[in-house]
Every structure is written in structure tokens, then in C-alpha cells.
Coordinates of all heavy atoms in Angstrom, one line a residue:
M1 N -6.8 -11.3 7.2 CA -5.4 -11.5 7.0 C -4.7 -10.1 6.8 O -5.1 -9.3 6.0 CB -5.2 -12.3 5.8 CG -3.8 -12.6 5.4 SD -3.6 -13.3 3.8 CE -4.0 -12.0 2.7
K2 N -3.7 -9.9 7.6 CA -2.9 -8.7 7.5 C -1.5 -9.0 7.0 O -0.9 -9.9 7.4 CB -2.8 -8.0 8.8 CG -4.1 -7.3 9.3 CD -3.9 -6.6 10.6 CE -5.2 -6.1 11.1 NZ -5.1 -5.4 12.4
K3 N -1.1 -8.1 6.1 CA 0.3 -8.2 5.6 C 1.1 -7.0 5.8 O 0.5 -5.9 5.8 CB 0.2 -8.6 4.1 CG 0.0 -10.0 3.8 CD 0.5 -10.4 2.4 CE 0.5 -11.9 2.3 NZ 1.0 -12.3 1.0
E4 N 2.4 -7.1 6.0 CA 3.2 -5.9 6.2 C 4.2 -5.7 5.1 O 4.7 -6.7 4.6 CB 3.9 -6.0 7.6 CG 3.0 -6.0 8.7 CD 3.7 -5.8 10.1 OE1 5.0 -5.8 10.1 OE2 3.0 -5.8 11.1
Y5 N 4.4 -4.5 4.8 CA 5.4 -4.1 3.7 C 6.2 -3.0 4.3 O 5.7 -2.1 4.9 CB 4.7 -3.7 2.4 CG 3.7 -4.7 1.9 CD1 2.4 -4.8 2.4 CD2 4.1 -5.6 0.9 CE1 1.5 -5.7 1.9 CE2 3.2 -6.5 0.4 CZ 1.9 -6.6 0.9 OH 1.0 -7.5 0.5
T6 N 7.5 -3.1 4.1 CA 8.4 -2.1 4.7 C 9.2 -1.3 3.7 O 9.5 -1.8 2.6 CB 9.4 -2.8 5.7 OG1 10.1 -3.8 5.0 CG2 8.7 -3.4 6.9
K7 N 9.6 -0.1 4.1 CA 10.6 0.7 3.4 C 11.4 1.4 4.5 O 10.8 2.3 5.2 CB 9.9 1.7 2.4 CG 10.9 2.4 1.6 CD 10.2 3.3 0.6 CE 11.2 4.1 -0.2 NZ 11.8 3.3 -1.3
D8 N 12.6 1.1 4.7 CA 13.4 1.6 5.8 C 12.6 1.5 7.1 O 12.2 0.4 7.4 CB 13.8 3.0 5.5 CG 14.5 3.2 4.2 OD1 15.2 2.2 3.8 OD2 14.3 4.2 3.5
D9 N 12.3 2.6 7.8 CA 11.6 2.5 9.0 C 10.1 2.7 8.9 O 9.4 2.8 9.9 CB 12.1 3.6 10.0 CG 12.0 5.0 9.4 OD1 11.8 5.2 8.2 OD2 12.0 6.0 10.2
L10 N 9.6 2.7 7.7 CA 8.2 2.8 7.4 C 7.6 1.4 7.2 O 8.1 0.6 6.4 CB 8.0 3.6 6.1 CG 6.5 3.9 5.7 CD1 5.9 5.0 6.6 CD2 6.5 4.3 4.3
T11 N 6.5 1.1 8.0 CA 5.8 -0.2 7.8 C 4.4 0.1 7.4 O 3.7 0.8 8.1 CB 5.9 -1.0 9.1 OG1 7.3 -1.2 9.4 CG2 5.2 -2.4 8.9
I12 N 4.0 -0.5 6.3 CA 2.6 -0.4 5.8 C 1.9 -1.7 6.1 O 2.4 -2.7 5.8 CB 2.6 -0.2 4.3 CG1 3.4 1.1 3.9 CG2 1.2 -0.1 3.7 CD1 4.2 1.0 2.6
I13 N 0.7 -1.5 6.6 CA -0.1 -2.7 6.9 C -1.2 -2.7 5.9 O -1.9 -1.7 5.7 CB -0.6 -2.7 8.4 CG1 0.6 -2.6 9.3 CG2 -1.4 -4.0 8.7 CD1 0.2 -2.2 10.7
W14 N -1.5 -3.9 5.4 CA -2.6 -4.0 4.5 C -3.5 -5.1 5.0 O -3.1 -6.3 5.2 CB -2.2 -4.4 3.1 CG -3.3 -4.6 2.1 CD1 -4.2 -3.6 1.8 CD2 -3.7 -5.8 1.4 NE1 -5.2 -4.1 0.9 CE2 -4.9 -5.5 0.6 CE3 -3.2 -7.0 1.4 CZ2 -5.5 -6.4 -0.2 CZ3 -3.8 -8.0 0.5 CH2 -4.9 -7.7 -0.2
D15 N -4.8 -4.7 5.3 CA -5.7 -5.7 5.9 C -6.7 -6.1 4.8 O -7.6 -5.4 4.3 CB -6.5 -5.0 7.0 CG -7.4 -6.0 7.8 OD1 -7.7 -7.1 7.2 OD2 -7.7 -5.7 9.0
H16 N -6.5 -7.3 4.3 CA -7.2 -7.9 3.2 C -8.7 -7.8 3.4 O -9.5 -7.5 2.5 CB -6.8 -9.3 3.0 CG -7.5 -10.0 1.9 ND1 -8.5 -10.9 2.1 CD2 -7.4 -9.9 0.6 CE1 -8.9 -11.4 1.0 NE2 -8.3 -10.8 0.0
K17 N -9.1 -8.1 4.6 CA -10.6 -8.1 5.0 C -11.3 -6.7 4.8 O -12.4 -6.7 4.5 CB -10.8 -8.5 6.4 CG -10.6 -10.0 6.7 CD -11.2 -10.4 8.0 CE -10.8 -9.5 9.2 NZ -9.6 -9.8 9.9
L18 N -10.5 -5.7 5.0 CA -11.1 -4.3 4.9 C -11.0 -3.7 3.5 O -11.8 -2.8 3.2 CB -10.4 -3.4 5.9 CG -10.5 -3.7 7.4 CD1 -9.7 -2.6 8.1 CD2 -11.9 -3.7 7.8
C19 N -10.2 -4.3 2.6 CA -10.0 -3.7 1.3 C -11.3 -3.8 0.5 O -11.8 -4.9 0.3 CB -8.9 -4.4 0.6 SG -8.5 -3.7 -1.0
T20 N -11.8 -2.7 -0.1 CA -13.0 -2.7 -0.9 C -12.6 -2.7 -2.4 O -13.5 -2.5 -3.2 CB -13.8 -1.5 -0.5 OG1 -13.0 -0.3 -0.6 CG2 -14.4 -1.6 0.8
H21 N -11.3 -2.8 -2.7 CA -10.9 -2.8 -4.1 C -11.3 -1.6 -4.9 O -11.6 -1.7 -6.0 CB -11.2 -4.1 -4.7 CG -10.8 -5.3 -4.0 ND1 -9.5 -5.7 -3.9 CD2 -11.5 -6.1 -3.1 CE1 -9.4 -6.8 -3.1 NE2 -10.5 -7.0 -2.6
S22 N -11.3 -0.5 -4.2 CA -11.7 0.8 -4.8 C -10.6 1.3 -5.8 O -10.9 2.2 -6.6 CB -11.9 1.9 -3.7 OG -10.7 2.0 -3.0
A23 N -9.4 0.8 -5.6 CA -8.3 1.1 -6.5 C -7.8 2.5 -6.4 O -7.1 3.1 -7.3 CB -8.6 0.8 -8.0
V24 N -8.2 3.2 -5.3 CA -7.6 4.6 -5.0 C -6.1 4.5 -5.0 O -5.4 5.4 -5.6 CB -8.2 5.1 -3.7 CG1 -7.5 6.4 -3.3 CG2 -9.7 5.3 -3.8
C25 N -5.6 3.5 -4.3 CA -4.1 3.4 -4.2 C -3.5 3.1 -5.6 O -2.4 3.7 -5.9 CB -3.7 2.3 -3.2 SG -4.4 0.7 -3.6
V26 N -4.1 2.3 -6.3 CA -3.6 1.9 -7.7 C -3.6 3.0 -8.6 O -2.6 3.2 -9.4 CB -4.4 0.7 -8.2 CG1 -3.9 0.3 -9.6 CG2 -4.5 -0.5 -7.3
K27 N -4.6 3.8 -8.6 CA -4.7 5.0 -9.5 C -3.7 6.1 -9.0 O -3.1 6.8 -9.8 CB -6.1 5.6 -9.5 CG -7.0 4.7 -10.4 CD -8.4 5.2 -10.4 CE -9.4 4.2 -10.9 NZ -10.7 4.2 -10.1
G28 N -3.6 6.3 -7.7 CA -2.8 7.3 -7.1 C -1.3 7.1 -7.3 O -0.5 8.0 -7.5
L29 N -0.9 5.8 -7.1 CA 0.6 5.5 -7.1 C 0.8 4.2 -7.8 O 1.1 3.2 -7.2 CB 1.1 5.5 -5.7 CG 2.4 6.1 -5.4 CD1 2.6 7.5 -5.9 CD2 2.7 6.1 -3.9
P30 N 0.5 4.1 -9.1 CA 0.6 2.9 -9.9 C 1.9 2.2 -9.9 O 2.0 1.0 -10.2 CB 0.1 3.2 -11.3 CG 0.2 4.7 -11.4 CD 0.2 5.3 -10.0
N31 N 3.0 2.9 -9.7 CA 4.3 2.3 -9.7 C 4.5 1.5 -8.4 O 5.4 0.7 -8.3 CB 5.4 3.4 -9.9 CG 5.3 4.5 -8.9 OD1 4.2 4.8 -8.5 ND2 6.3 5.2 -8.6
V32 N 3.8 1.8 -7.3 CA 3.9 1.1 -6.1 C 2.8 0.0 -5.8 O 3.1 -1.1 -5.4 CB 4.0 2.1 -4.9 CG1 3.9 1.4 -3.5 CG2 5.2 3.0 -5.0
F33 N 1.6 0.4 -6.1 CA 0.5 -0.5 -5.8 C 0.1 -1.2 -7.1 O -0.5 -0.7 -8.0 CB -0.7 0.3 -5.3 CG -0.4 0.9 -3.9 CD1 0.1 2.2 -3.9 CD2 -0.5 0.2 -2.8 CE1 0.4 2.8 -2.6 CE2 -0.2 0.7 -1.5 CZ 0.2 2.1 -1.5
K34 N 0.5 -2.5 -7.2 CA 0.3 -3.3 -8.4 C -0.4 -4.6 -8.1 O 0.2 -5.6 -7.8 CB 1.7 -3.6 -9.0 CG 2.5 -2.4 -9.4 CD 3.8 -2.7 -10.0 CE 4.5 -1.5 -10.4 NZ 5.7 -1.9 -11.3
P35 N -1.7 -4.5 -8.1 CA -2.5 -5.7 -7.7 C -2.3 -7.0 -8.5 O -2.6 -8.1 -8.0 CB -4.0 -5.2 -7.8 CG -3.9 -4.0 -8.6 CD -2.6 -3.4 -8.5
K36 N -1.7 -6.9 -9.7 CA -1.5 -8.1 -10.5 C -0.1 -8.7 -10.2 O 0.2 -9.7 -10.8 CB -1.7 -7.8 -11.9 CG -3.2 -7.5 -12.2 CD -3.5 -7.5 -13.7 CE -4.9 -7.2 -13.9 NZ -5.2 -6.2 -15.0
E37 N 0.7 -8.1 -9.4 CA 2.0 -8.6 -9.2 C 2.3 -9.0 -7.8 O 1.4 -8.8 -6.9 CB 3.0 -7.5 -9.6 CG 3.0 -7.2 -11.1 CD 4.0 -6.1 -11.5 OE1 5.0 -6.0 -10.8 OE2 3.7 -5.5 -12.5
K38 N 3.3 -9.7 -7.6 CA 3.7 -10.2 -6.2 C 5.1 -9.7 -5.9 O 6.0 -10.0 -6.7 CB 3.6 -11.7 -6.1 CG 2.2 -12.1 -5.9 CD 2.1 -13.5 -5.4 CE 0.7 -13.9 -5.1 NZ 0.5 -15.2 -4.6
P39 N 5.4 -9.1 -4.7 CA 4.3 -8.5 -3.8 C 3.5 -7.4 -4.5 O 4.1 -6.7 -5.4 CB 5.1 -8.0 -2.7 CG 6.4 -7.7 -3.2 CD 6.7 -8.7 -4.3
W40 N 2.3 -7.2 -4.1 CA 1.5 -6.2 -4.8 C 1.8 -4.8 -4.4 O 1.5 -3.9 -5.1 CB 0.0 -6.6 -4.7 CG -0.7 -6.1 -3.5 CD1 -0.8 -6.7 -2.3 CD2 -1.5 -4.9 -3.4 NE1 -1.5 -5.9 -1.4 CE2 -2.0 -4.8 -2.0 CE3 -1.8 -3.8 -4.3 CZ2 -2.8 -3.7 -1.6 CZ3 -2.6 -2.8 -3.8 CH2 -3.1 -2.7 -2.5
I41 N 2.5 -4.7 -3.3 CA 3.0 -3.3 -2.9 C 4.5 -3.3 -3.0 O 5.2 -4.1 -2.3 CB 2.5 -3.0 -1.4 CG1 1.0 -3.0 -1.3 CG2 3.1 -1.6 -1.0 CD1 0.5 -2.7 0.1
Q42 N 5.0 -2.5 -3.9 CA 6.4 -2.5 -4.2 C 7.0 -1.2 -3.7 O 7.1 -0.2 -4.5 CB 6.7 -2.7 -5.7 CG 6.1 -4.1 -6.1 CD 6.2 -4.4 -7.6 OE1 6.8 -3.7 -8.3 NE2 5.7 -5.5 -8.0
T43 N 7.4 -1.2 -2.5 CA 7.8 0.1 -1.8 C 9.1 0.6 -2.4 O 9.4 1.8 -2.1 CB 8.0 -0.2 -0.3 OG1 9.0 -1.2 -0.1 CG2 6.7 -0.5 0.4
E44 N 9.9 -0.2 -3.1 CA 11.2 0.3 -3.7 C 10.9 1.3 -4.8 O 11.9 2.0 -5.2 CB 12.1 -0.8 -4.1 CG 11.5 -1.6 -5.3 CD 10.6 -2.8 -4.9 OE1 10.0 -2.7 -3.8 OE2 10.5 -3.7 -5.7
N45 N 9.7 1.5 -5.3 CA 9.5 2.3 -6.5 C 9.1 3.7 -6.2 O 8.8 4.5 -7.2 CB 8.4 1.6 -7.4 CG 8.9 0.3 -7.9 OD1 10.1 0.0 -8.0 ND2 8.0 -0.6 -8.2
D46 N 9.0 4.2 -5.0 CA 8.8 5.6 -4.7 C 9.3 6.0 -3.4 O 9.8 5.1 -2.6 CB 7.3 5.9 -4.9 CG 7.1 7.3 -5.5 OD1 7.9 8.2 -5.2 OD2 6.2 7.4 -6.4
T47 N 9.1 7.2 -3.0 CA 9.7 7.7 -1.8 C 8.7 7.4 -0.6 O 7.6 7.2 -0.8 CB 9.8 9.3 -1.8 OG1 8.5 9.9 -2.0 CG2 10.7 9.7 -2.9
K48 N 9.3 7.4 0.6 CA 8.5 7.1 1.8 C 7.4 8.2 1.9 O 6.3 7.8 2.3 CB 9.4 7.3 3.0 CG 10.3 6.1 3.3 CD 10.7 5.9 4.7 CE 11.7 6.9 5.1 NZ 12.3 6.7 6.5
E49 N 7.7 9.4 1.6 CA 6.7 10.5 1.7 C 5.5 10.2 0.8 O 4.3 10.3 1.3 CB 7.3 11.8 1.4 CG 7.8 12.6 2.6 CD 6.8 12.5 3.8 OE1 5.7 12.9 3.7 OE2 7.3 12.1 4.9
K50 N 5.8 9.9 -0.4 CA 4.7 9.6 -1.4 C 3.9 8.4 -1.0 O 2.6 8.4 -1.1 CB 5.3 9.4 -2.8 CG 5.8 10.6 -3.5 CD 4.7 11.2 -4.3 CE 5.1 12.2 -5.4 NZ 5.7 11.5 -6.5
I51 N 4.5 7.4 -0.5 CA 3.8 6.2 -0.1 C 2.9 6.4 1.1 O 1.8 6.1 1.1 CB 4.8 5.0 0.2 CG1 5.5 4.6 -1.1 CG2 4.1 3.8 0.7 CD1 6.7 3.7 -1.0
K52 N 3.5 7.2 2.0 CA 2.8 7.5 3.3 C 1.5 8.3 2.9 O 0.4 8.0 3.4 CB 3.7 8.4 4.1 CG 3.7 8.1 5.6 CD 4.8 9.0 6.2 CE 4.8 9.0 7.6 NZ 5.9 9.8 8.2
E53 N 1.7 9.3 2.1 CA 0.6 10.1 1.6 C -0.6 9.3 1.0 O -1.7 9.5 1.3 CB 1.1 11.1 0.5 CG 1.0 12.5 0.8 CD 1.6 13.3 -0.3 OE1 1.1 13.3 -1.5 OE2 2.6 14.0 -0.1
Q54 N -0.2 8.4 0.2 CA -1.1 7.5 -0.5 C -1.8 6.5 0.4 O -3.0 6.3 0.4 CB -0.4 6.7 -1.7 CG -1.4 6.1 -2.6 CD -2.4 7.0 -3.3 OE1 -1.9 8.0 -3.9 NE2 -3.7 6.8 -3.2
V55 N -1.1 6.0 1.4 CA -1.7 5.1 2.4 C -2.8 5.8 3.1 O -3.8 5.2 3.4 CB -0.5 4.6 3.3 CG1 -1.1 4.0 4.6 CG2 0.3 3.5 2.6
L56 N -2.5 7.0 3.5 CA -3.5 7.8 4.3 C -4.8 8.1 3.5 O -5.8 8.5 4.1 CB -2.9 9.1 4.8 CG -1.7 8.9 5.8 CD1 -1.1 10.2 6.2 CD2 -2.1 8.1 7.0
K57 N -4.7 8.0 2.2 CA -5.9 8.2 1.3 C -6.8 7.0 1.1 O -7.8 7.1 0.5 CB -5.5 8.8 0.0 CG -4.9 10.2 0.0 CD -4.5 10.6 -1.4 CE -3.8 11.9 -1.4 NZ -3.0 12.2 -2.6
C58 N -6.4 5.9 1.6 CA -7.2 4.7 1.5 C -8.6 4.8 2.1 O -8.6 5.1 3.3 CB -6.4 3.5 2.1 SG -7.4 2.0 2.1
P59 N -9.6 4.8 1.4 CA -11.0 5.1 1.9 C -11.5 4.1 2.9 O -12.4 4.4 3.7 CB -11.9 5.2 0.7 CG -11.2 4.3 -0.4 CD -9.7 4.4 0.0
S60 N -11.0 2.8 2.9 CA -11.6 1.8 3.7 C -10.8 1.6 5.0 O -11.3 0.9 5.9 CB -11.6 0.5 3.0 OG -10.3 0.0 2.8
G61 N -9.6 2.1 5.1 CA -8.8 1.9 6.2 C -8.0 0.5 6.1 O -7.3 0.1 7.0
A62 N -8.1 -0.1 4.9 CA -7.3 -1.3 4.7 C -5.8 -1.1 4.7 O -5.1 -1.9 5.2 CB -7.7 -1.9 3.3
L63 N -5.4 0.1 4.3 CA -4.0 0.4 4.3 C -3.8 1.3 5.6 O -4.5 2.3 5.8 CB -3.6 1.2 3.1 CG -3.5 0.5 1.8 CD1 -3.2 1.4 0.6 CD2 -2.4 -0.6 1.8
S64 N -2.8 1.0 6.3 CA -2.5 1.9 7.5 C -0.9 1.8 7.7 O -0.2 1.0 7.1 CB -3.2 1.4 8.7 OG -2.9 0.1 9.0
L65 N -0.5 2.7 8.6 CA 0.9 2.7 8.9 C 1.2 2.2 10.3 O 0.3 2.4 11.2 CB 1.4 4.2 8.8 CG 1.3 4.8 7.4 CD1 1.5 6.3 7.5 CD2 2.2 4.2 6.4
K66 N 2.3 1.6 10.6 CA 2.6 1.1 11.9 C 3.2 2.2 12.7 O 4.0 2.9 12.2 CB 3.6 -0.1 11.8 CG 3.5 -1.0 12.9 CD 4.3 -2.2 12.6 CE 4.0 -3.3 13.6 NZ 4.7 -4.6 13.2
Ligands
SF4_101 S1 -7.2 2.2 -1.7 FE1 -7.5 0.8 0.1 S2 -9.4 -0.1 -0.3 FE2 -8.8 0.8 -2.2 S3 -7.8 -0.9 -3.3 FE3 -6.2 0.2 -2.2 S4 -6.0 -0.8 -0.2 FE4 -7.9 -1.5 -1.1

């Protein structure tokens, strides 16, 4: 299952199947990646640059950019 989250022209894709729940994203940018909330990715809470940077650090490839 893939889900998309947007911020202006930035689209983040999260592939549930690939996520290893390593919490790299949650520790790196806790104001945006909130696994206990819905939606769990809240793009309004930081800049596009910061979010992009964090997405690229996902070790499993579950997070990617469109
Ligand atoms: S960093 Fe990637 S693999 Fe780890 S919890 Fe976040 S989305 Fe899942």
C-alpha cells in the first residue's frame, strides 16, 4: 500500500510494505513524522528542504519523492 503526502509541489510517497519501522524519520524530524497521529506525515510542520532531506535518509526506501 502506497500513500502520498504533499507540500506545495513536493510529493512524498510512503510504501507501507517497505517500511521497517526503524524510526529514522521519527527521530530526525519528529514534528513531521508522527506515527501515532493521522495523517502520520504532517508536511505543514516544516520546510520542503528539511522534509526532502529526511525522506532521502530513509534506510529502507519506504519514503521516496515523486
Ligand atoms: S525512516 Fe523509513 S523505514 Fe524508518 S520508520 Fe521512517 S519510513 Fe519507515
Side-chain angles (χ1 to χ4, degrees):
M1 182 193 67
K2 286 185 188 178
K3 279 202 169 184
E4 291 190 1
Y5 302 85
T6 55
K7 184 176 180 79
D8 307 324
D9 60 343
L10 182 76
T11 303
I12 299 146
I13 302 165
W14 180 62
D15 189 337
H16 179 256
K17 284 197 311 271
L18 295 180
C19 181
T20 53
H21 306 284
S22 58
V24 171
C25 57
V26 180
K27 285 179 199 141
L29 220 52
N31 51 333
V32 172
F33 296 93
K34 300 181 175 194
K36 292 191 177 135
E37 294 183 25
K38 277 196 176 180
W40 85 276
I41 300 178
Q42 299 178 6
T43 58
E44 66 274 24
N45 295 336
D46 218 321
T47 63
K48 281 204 286 187
E49 265 320 300
K50 284 268 197 78
I51 295 170
K52 222 172 169 176
E53 242 175 62
Q54 192 59 52
V55 163
L56 297 176
K57 288 180 188 162
C58 173
S60 68
L63 290 173
S64 59
L65 300 169
K66 205 169 192 178

